[in-house]
Amino acid sequence: MDNIVQNLQGIPLNHYLIFCSVIFSIGVIGVLIRRNVIIIMMSIELMLNSVNLLLAAFSAYRGDASGQVFVFFVMALAAAEVAVGLAIVIMVYRNTKSVDIESLSKLRW
């Protein structure tokens, strides 16, 4: 375990910040631009994973496990989001034969 922490601390924290902010911004752009529900869900997962990486990096640099505990909870939240989101996507596809966001307006009264 100490070897992993030393390897993480070998990379400057600024590199982690820049890398995670780039990944997070790619996820935000994917949510804002794309219309496919599956791509939007993948972009949300990308944002959650960038936050997880940053939490793990801060946890390694500080030497405590609180960031890793938060990573565990975020991963559990992401798994629940995928399960509920995919169930909704399947139901929308059965009703509209499309996973496009614009087709969801047909489900109004």
Side-chain angles (χ1 to χ4, degrees):
M1 183 68 179
D2 292 333
N3 189 19
I4 295 172
V5 172
Q6 289 173 353
N7 286 340
L8 282 175
Q9 289 176 345
I11 300 172
L13 192 58
N14 291 336
H15 287 47
Y16 283 110
L17 288 169
I18 292 169
F19 180 65
C20 290
S21 62
V22 168
I23 292 175
F24 191 84
S25 61
I26 290 171
V28 169
I29 290 170
V31 167
L32 294 176
I33 291 178
R34 301 299 297 223
R35 291 186 173 167
N36 191 343
V37 178
I38 297 173
I39 301 295
I40 291 173
M41 288 177 55
M42 287 173 51
S43 297
I44 291 171
E45 290 292 324
L46 195 62
M47 291 189 291
L48 288 173
N49 284 332
S50 70
V51 171
N52 281 343
L53 179 62
L54 198 57
L55 281 171
F58 279 132
S59 175
Y61 272 91
R62 294 212 38 180
D64 61 351
S66 62
Q68 295 171 4
V69 171
F70 282 125
V71 167
F72 177 73
F73 285 123
V74 170
M75 288 176 72
L77 176 76
E81 178 253 338
V82 166
V84 172
L86 285 177
I88 291 171
V89 167
I90 289 171
M91 291 306 295
V92 166
Y93 182 76
R94 285 183 183 173
N95 289 330
T96 63
K97 301 296 184 220
S98 174
V99 290
D100 189 24
I101 293 292
E102 297 298 324
S103 67
L104 295 178
S105 64
K106 295 177 186 175
L107 298 177
R108 293 184 189 171
W109 285 86

